[in-house]
Amino acid sequence: MIKRSRAVGYGTAITIGIATLGMIAPCAIAQDSFQFAKPIVYEFDFDMYPTSISAGDVNNDGIVDLAISGRNVEGVTLILLGEGGGQFSAPIEIVVDSQNDAVAICNLDLNGPLDLVVVMRGGDGTLATFTGVGDGTFIDRVDYSVGRYPSSLVAKDFDNDGDIDFATTNYQSSSVSILLNEGNGALFNSQTIELIGGLQGPAFPFHSTSADFDNDSDIDLVIGHLTGSNISFLRNQGDGSFAWPMILPVDTPVGVAAADMNLDGEIDIVMADLLDFNGRVAVLENQGNAVFTGLTTIDTGGWSWFVATADLNGDAKPDVAMTDVQSGLLLLMPNESQGDIALGAPDTFLVIGQPRFILPVNLDGDCDLDLVVAQLGFHKLLILINETQQLSACTVADLDGDLQVGTSDLLILFAQWNVANSFADFTYDGIVDVADLLFLLSHWGVK
């Protein structure tokens, strides 16, 4: 049944099943640094409370699909099958029987269709894996215990054996759970790391990010604390186990992201800093070997909550996207670093509805990154198709940042061959393979 409905404040929309889709603005939106097409809104006709988003081609049709977690009483995670150009079909419900704060699409056994991983807040905290069938549905649920109220999820290869492992950030337990993959998609709990709080009480870890911060070819973790005025750096010891947390004093780093902001070869930490409810973006510069000194900040006001980094204008520098959940704002800051880390004044987009999560992803199959924003309070997703003039004609395939696609990009892709959840997985099928090679070659020489 299709019925007409009203997307609050944005004009008309069409409800299909349990989701509404429609254009929420009469024209493209642009400011000083970034421009996007008319946003598309997907409105759920129940209280979904979307909390996170993951992307992957779950039905093997060459088009990006989305998985959405949510704090809904129905206890469901949703799958939106892509139709191209930022359009999606009616959602498929995956019943998980609990509110869920984080989700990941990945290839657990590196064989066959993409699988689904969801973390549930109910009980003592659970990570559940679901085997993909290949048509957007999932079977064979397997549960693993983690800490209480898991709030974020990292899916990376921690022990360098070629398959995807997981780390959950457990809010109420103030801990991190590490689950390693046995190679066939089965997981085992390998480590629980207790986090250190501060004068305000327990750490209450909220968001997490990962990268090789010390250039030893192992994936490390950074955890943002809702209280305690610090973040935790967890150094990977090379076998998928992590050293005792190193505390980095900051203010209230709710959201964290990882990127080489000044292109010096070292991964820096970008934070959405709540700062007594007068928020800001803050960047901790990595001086090498995960020695973080110097804090670059831009005051934004409001309640800084989630932060993501992505090259949105094709200049080979990671820009910053941040949400303000109090004012309903999406703030986009161009990277203006020239040796020293510097961010330009934010472009501010009113998206309303407690924007909680941002996913940079290439939805329309072109060469730039679009944005998907989860609106927690209004039970919507916003699809923002990027129309910013790109300095590189194929931003996503320009792996070496020289503003063209050539031999060095090909060598980087081959170095990532068969790597799961890689930055070179242009086709979102879970692994770097022939499809990604063909995508790169189709843009060969583009400058």
Side-chain angles (χ1 to χ4, degrees):
M1 176 181 178
I2 300 177
K3 64 180 181 179
R4 301 297 295 182
S5 69
R6 178 69 59 174
V8 178
Y10 294 106
T12 59
I14 302 175
T15 300
I16 302 179
I18 62 170
T20 302
L21 52 128
M23 307 308 289
I24 66 168
C27 58
I29 54 176
Q31 292 204 21
D32 292 338
S33 301
F34 303 101
Q35 178 169 339
F36 293 87
K38 293 182 290 187
I40 304 169
V41 64
Y42 287 80
E43 179 182 1
F44 308 105
D45 68 355
F46 72 106
D47 292 345
M48 175 63 185
Y49 294 105
T51 52
S52 76
I53 313 161
S54 184
D57 182 8
V58 299
N59 61 347
N60 298 311
D61 64 352
I63 303 174
V64 179
D65 312 305
L66 299 177
I68 305 106
S69 63
R71 291 188 181 180
N72 54 84
V73 296
E74 287 81 0
V76 298
T77 296
L78 298 180
I79 302 295
L80 294 179
L81 298 181
E83 297 180 340
Q87 301 288 338
F88 294 88
S89 63
I92 300 171
E93 291 189 17
I94 308 297
V95 178
V96 299
D97 297 318
S98 172
Q99 294 182 349
N100 46 104
D101 264 3
V103 63
I105 297 173
C106 57
N107 199 329
L108 280 171
D109 55 7
L110 303 182
N111 184 27
L114 291 180
D115 309 302
L116 186 70
V117 178
V118 185
V119 293
M120 276 78 75
R121 289 163 53 89
D124 290 329
T126 303
L127 180 148
T129 64
F130 299 82
T131 301
V133 175
D135 60 358
T137 61
F138 300 85
I139 59 174
D140 297 337
R141 170 175 173 166
V142 180
D143 287 355
Y144 301 89
S145 295
V146 293
R148 296 203 66 189
Y149 281 22
S151 56
S152 69
L153 177 66
V154 171
K156 292 289 184 180
D157 182 7
F158 295 132
D159 53 3
N160 291 317
D161 63 354
D163 50 40
I164 294 297
D165 310 303
F166 300 93
T168 67
T169 299
N170 310 312
Y171 178 81
Q172 196 166 77
S173 299
S174 287
S175 65
V176 175
S177 298
I178 306 298
L179 296 91
L180 298 182
N181 194 330
E182 295 182 344
N184 57 0
L187 309 179
F188 65 95
N189 294 78
S190 68
Q191 188 178 12
T192 299
I193 304 162
E194 302 296 332
L195 300 178
I196 301 170
L199 296 177
Q200 298 170 325
F204 291 134
F206 204 69
H207 287 147
S208 55
T209 191
S210 64
D212 181 9
F213 291 99
D214 51 6
N215 281 322
D216 63 354
S217 300
D218 302 315
I219 299 297
D220 311 301
L221 291 169
V222 166
I223 314 297
H225 299 186
L226 193 58
T227 62
S229 297
N230 55 49
I231 58 178
S232 293
F233 171 70
L234 307 182
R235 191 187 301 270
N236 192 330
Q237 300 183 108
D239 57 357
S241 66
F242 292 83
W244 187 254
M246 181 172 73
I247 299 303
L248 304 175
V250 286
D251 285 290
T252 313
V254 181
V256 289
D260 182 1
M261 297 300 293
N262 55 351
L263 307 184
D264 64 352
E266 306 292 344
I267 305 298
D268 310 301
I269 301 173
V270 184
M271 298 168 286
D273 193 347
L274 193 56
L275 191 65
D276 296 325
F277 305 103
N278 188 23
R280 64 182 184 177
V281 170
V283 182
L284 269 175
E285 183 175 357
N286 188 348
Q287 303 295 333
N289 197 33
V291 175
F292 299 95
T293 61
L295 192 67
T296 301
T297 63
I298 290 185
D299 294 332
T300 57
W303 293 14
S304 304
W305 201 256
F306 189 86
V307 66
T309 56
D311 182 6
L312 298 176
N313 57 9
D315 65 353
K317 299 177 183 178
D319 306 302
V320 175
M322 191 188 74
T323 63
D324 175 351
V325 297
Q326 179 190 42
S327 303
L329 298 177
L330 171 66
L331 300 100
L332 304 180
M333 283 149 274
N335 189 337
E336 298 181 350
S337 302
Q338 298 287 343
D340 294 331
I341 294 175
L343 294 174
D347 283 3
T348 302
F349 300 92
L350 181 64
V351 296
I352 312 179
Q354 294 178 324
R356 159 145 179 151
F357 192 94
I358 309 165
L359 177 68
V361 57
N362 185 5
L363 289 176
D364 51 2
D366 61 4
C367 279
D368 54 33
L369 291 172
D370 312 301
L371 297 176
V372 185
V373 181
Q375 291 180 308
L376 180 70
F378 280 6
H379 318 297
K380 298 180 177 71
L381 290 186
L382 290 185
I383 309 296
L384 300 172
I385 300 298
N386 195 349
E387 293 188 343
T388 305
Q389 181 65 45
Q390 303 288 301
L391 296 182
S392 171
C394 194
T395 301
V396 295
D398 179 20
L399 299 178
D400 64 353
D402 65 354
L403 305 185
Q404 61 184 343
V405 180
T407 302
S408 59
D409 303 301
L410 182 63
L411 294 175
I412 293 171
L413 183 139
F414 281 140
Q416 292 288 308
W417 198 260
N418 285 333
V419 173
N421 280 25
S422 168
F423 59 85
D425 180 16
F426 308 128
T427 58
Y428 296 93
D429 62 358
I431 197 166
V432 179
D433 55 13
V434 173
D436 306 297
L437 174 61
L438 293 175
F439 181 91
L440 186 146
L441 292 177
S442 71
H443 297 93
W444 189 265
V446 171
K447 183 174 182 180

